[in-house]
Amino acid sequence: MTDHSLPEGFSDLEPFIDWALERERGRTEKREASTMDEVRAFYDAVFPRMEEIVAHLDAFPLDALPEKEERLFLLTLSLVEVSNLVERYRRREAILAISPLDYSSVQ
Amino acid sequence: MKTIMRNKQWAEKYPELGTGPVPAEPYISPEFYELERDRVFRRTWINVCQVGDIPKPGDFFVRDLAVCSTSLLIIRGKDNVIRAFHNVCSHRANIVVPQQSGSCATGLFCPFHNWQYNDKGELVGVPDEENFFDLDKSQHGLTPVNSDIWQGFVFVYLDPEPAESLRDYLGGVADQLDGCPFDKLALMQTYKVEERTNWKVALDAQNEVYHLPFQHSRLVGHTFLLNEKKHTRILEVNLYERHTLWSCEFVPDYELAPLEVLLGKIDTDTEGVRIPQLIGEFDFYVLFPNMVVILFRGPTEDGVVTYNFWPLALDRTIWEIRYYFPPAKSVGRRVGQEFFKCLIRDVQQEDTIAHESLYRGLLSRAKTHVQLQDEEITIRYFHKVLEDHVGFYANGGNQ
């Protein structure tokens, strides 16, 4: 079974582990597939912990994060992924843009 | 803050350019597009990739250049020399390499009859060679294409006789960006989006900041310097022989979004690559015809974004966007880069809507000309340079 655990001290974020996605494409798809309430719940859970998370992760080399730390790191990238929607657009109806899924992304 | 807020200053700087409207026909004319294919894309230096796309000896990169009806193969030889070829087999002109990229360290094999080429494009193997008639392999390598490199960007010139060297072609832009630390940046991400638009509509839509407070009001409407009436004013405009620059400053105290405030706290890395060649804080170069190089000032480091607008047809364009950042060593820095990338990406997704919408409007022929204000002078100049190459109106146009 896949390990979904986060480092000690961050286990309260485990309900949001399905936002720990390796590729930007996956994070965009997750954002698009989530309701605004789900997006906000994720944002509200991770945002206040960001300083703590980054302080924890910076003890490790960025290119060799242990598995649990890697998942925690990916949550921070998903936070960035949703931040414009939550902070700037605030509601999906405010967006006049093509579907982000029409952007092919090569990482 | 160095920006001068005065109106109509760029027409004063470049009075010979005039201030009249610009014809809409070049955006939608099949005849104009046919001329562009020959007189622009085959007879200028075109950026096709970057050295980082082919990092190791034997690596190759394929660039489909639909506008010139060809596929190009760019190879870093085992001797570390970068060469470009038509990706076309000498046997019966099949496309040799169907992949986008890879390594030819063990040879390139045409999938049709297994003709083999080496890393220098030489024909080295022909199955059943004895059954051909006077086939001299040394005369049947891949067809070379002129190529050269500037600051890590690989350019090609399709016509066999380039009118000038790449360095001369880039002219004042190369002078300005000499020593720019492009080599300290690494490709972080590439986006491609196919748009139902003409390539110039997309390029022109990017080539001004007048639209930012309106079209991008929620994302970056108040990021670039505005005058007292809340309209953008650019810091500098340079019109080179063919290329252009506009440069902007950021609003010094613009209201940060919550995550931006947070980024200032979590990015504790004190080291960062700076680009001394920056004129303002956001320098936008159009390298005629279809490349854009953007240099931008970040809070703790600088970065580069490039665009290539690839015409597939008169009304179909691929917008390729690449982000280059110094490789991040800390999580805080990496999150900051992700933030910038996602912010601009979301802006670009708004832009794509506009590129397609503008094209629909132009197709209606309701407007024979488009109107440009002083801040849009680089668009005006682009169309002058384009006409100088194409000679559409000089020869009577298609009125």
Side-chain angles (χ1 to χ4, degrees):
Chain A
M1 189 174 158
T2 318
D3 182 0
H4 284 159
S5 61
L6 290 170
E8 203 181 321
F10 298 97
S11 57
D12 58 308
L13 297 177
E14 285 173 9
F16 299 98
I17 200 68
D18 52 352
W19 287 90
L21 295 157
E22 197 185 339
R23 315 281 298 182
E24 185 197 281
R25 178 77 181 185
R27 298 190 289 271
T28 305
E29 284 170 353
K30 175 71 176 161
R31 186 192 80 191
E32 290 301 290
S34 302
T35 66
M36 206 55 214
D37 285 346
E38 288 166 340
V39 169
R40 275 207 198 88
F42 167 69
Y43 176 93
D44 289 343
V46 175
F47 188 92
R49 307 292 299 282
M50 278 294 280
E51 284 182 78
E52 207 184 327
I53 291 172
V54 172
H56 175 82
L57 293 177
D58 270 341
F60 304 90
L62 179 54
D63 55 359
L65 293 173
E67 269 185 45
K68 291 181 183 184
E69 276 71 18
E70 177 71 17
R71 283 192 287 272
L72 190 59
F73 169 61
L74 293 173
L75 289 185
T76 71
L77 298 187
S78 274
L79 180 79
V80 174
E81 177 67 42
V82 304
S83 71
N84 286 332
L85 178 56
V86 173
E87 297 179 355
R88 297 169 197 256
Y89 286 120
R90 300 200 174 100
R91 53 193 185 92
R92 290 191 191 278
E93 295 71 30
I95 304 176
L96 181 59
I98 62 157
S99 162
L101 303 181
D102 288 342
Y103 260 51
S104 87
S105 130
V106 187
Q107 252 170 323
Chain B
M1 199 174 85
K2 298 172 285 181
T3 300
I4 296 165
M5 294 298 176
R6 189 158 46 86
N7 290 343
K8 300 178 184 170
Q9 53 189 309
W10 309 119
E12 283 173 26
K13 181 174 178 182
Y14 294 103
E16 66 282 4
L17 204 50
T19 54
V22 168
E25 190 66 18
Y27 293 118
I28 55 172
S29 158
E31 292 79 11
F32 198 96
Y33 183 68
E34 283 308 310
L35 293 170
E36 281 176 344
R37 296 178 61 167
D38 181 51
R39 297 181 186 172
V40 177
F41 284 91
R42 287 184 57 83
R43 294 170 206 275
T44 55
W45 286 95
I46 305 289
N47 166 241
V48 288
C49 68
Q50 199 257 353
V51 291
D53 294 315
I54 38 175
K56 296 190 296 295
D59 284 355
F60 67 79
F61 182 87
V62 170
R63 171 65 67 189
D64 284 319
L65 209 54
V67 67
C68 295
S69 303
T70 192
S71 168
L72 298 177
L73 184 57
I74 299 97
I75 304 175
R76 182 189 289 270
K78 291 175 187 168
D79 56 3
N80 247 330
V81 175
I82 292 176
R83 300 175 179 86
F85 305 94
H86 286 279
N87 182 16
V88 176
C89 185
S90 302
H91 177 210
R92 282 165 57 198
N94 190 36
I95 297 293
V96 178
V97 181
Q99 304 97 311
Q100 288 269 292
S101 61
S103 171
C104 65
T106 56
L108 289 165
F109 297 87
C110 178
F112 198 10
H113 299 89
N114 224 40
W115 281 38
Q116 182 185 356
Y117 302 88
N118 67 14
D119 60 300
K120 291 179 180 168
E122 295 161 336
L123 178 63
V124 292
V126 174
D128 206 10
E129 185 179 347
E130 304 74 26
N131 214 18
F132 276 88
F133 307 92
D134 304 321
L135 180 73
D136 177 359
K137 289 208 295 291
S138 73
Q139 299 301 305
H140 293 283
L142 297 173
T143 305
V145 174
N146 299 298
S147 65
D148 201 354
I149 300 169
W150 168 74
Q151 287 280 25
F153 297 107
V154 181
F155 289 74
V156 298
Y157 196 109
L158 264 292
D159 191 88
E161 309 265 334
E164 59 198 317
S165 70
L166 173 62
R167 173 73 204 201
D168 287 347
Y169 181 77
L170 294 171
V173 172
D175 296 343
Q176 172 66 27
L177 296 182
D178 264 348
C180 190
F182 289 109
D183 58 333
K184 295 196 172 64
L185 312 179
L187 180 66
M188 181 193 191
Q189 184 123 15
T190 302
Y191 296 109
K192 288 183 193 176
V193 58
E194 185 177 329
E195 300 179 339
R196 297 286 298 185
T197 195
N198 180 260
W199 68 280
K200 301 183 295 293
V201 172
L203 172 56
D204 289 354
Q206 295 303 304
N207 197 5
E208 47 97 349
V209 290
Y210 177 31
H211 70 288
L212 262 57
F214 310 105
Q215 194 197 347
H216 305 306
S217 60
R218 286 188 169 77
L219 294 177
V220 290
H222 302 90
T223 308
F224 288 14
L225 216 56
L226 305 169
N227 70 7
E228 74 286 357
K229 293 180 177 172
K230 303 291 178 203
H231 297 308
T232 54
R233 283 294 174 266
I234 41 189
L235 166 69
E236 184 61 284
V237 169
N238 284 329
L239 307 182
Y240 302 96
E241 193 178 344
R242 296 180 190 79
H243 317 295
T244 58
L245 160 89
W246 53 255
S247 176
C248 275
E249 291 183 291
F250 298 135
V251 175
D253 54 352
Y254 83 94
E255 196 184 339
L256 298 173
L259 186 59
E260 282 178 286
V261 176
L262 185 66
L263 290 174
K265 296 179 189 161
I266 63 174
D267 184 0
T268 51
D269 200 341
T270 51
E271 291 177 24
V273 173
R274 288 299 187 187
I275 299 177
Q277 289 75 12
L278 267 159
I279 293 170
E281 294 172 312
F282 193 96
D283 294 358
F284 189 100
Y285 291 88
V286 176
L287 273 53
F288 186 83
N290 68 329
M291 185 190 192
V292 170
V293 177
I294 299 167
L295 316 178
F296 63 89
R297 176 81 70 210
T300 50
E301 65 178 6
D302 301 337
V304 169
V305 180
T306 64
Y307 300 156
N308 300 88
F309 296 94
W310 301 113
L312 300 178
L314 171 65
D315 60 350
R316 287 168 58 218
T317 301
I318 289 178
W319 184 14
E320 179 170 344
I321 303 160
R322 290 172 167 228
Y323 290 77
Y324 296 88
F325 283 103
K329 296 191 183 71
S330 69
V331 170
R333 177 63 55 86
R334 173 69 182 82
V335 171
Q337 293 176 348
E338 186 75 9
F339 166 78
F340 179 82
K341 185 194 73 180
C342 287
L343 175 60
I344 303 304
R345 175 203 66 187
D346 291 353
V347 170
Q348 287 157 344
Q349 289 169 1
E350 293 183 338
D351 284 322
T352 289
I353 284 277
H355 298 169
E356 298 193 338
S357 170
L358 282 158
Y359 191 68
R360 286 173 53 214
L362 288 160
L363 270 185
S364 73
R365 295 185 188 270
K367 304 295 176 192
T368 59
H369 290 75
V370 298
Q371 313 297 320
L372 297 175
Q373 68 127 310
D374 197 47
E375 293 269 299
E376 300 174 302
I377 187 172
T378 48
I379 299 174
R380 181 186 302 286
Y381 188 66
F382 173 84
H383 283 266
K384 179 195 178 301
V385 173
L386 184 67
E387 167 61 16
D388 287 348
H389 281 72
V390 169
F392 183 73
Y393 291 99
N395 293 312
N398 177 35
Q399 310 295 335

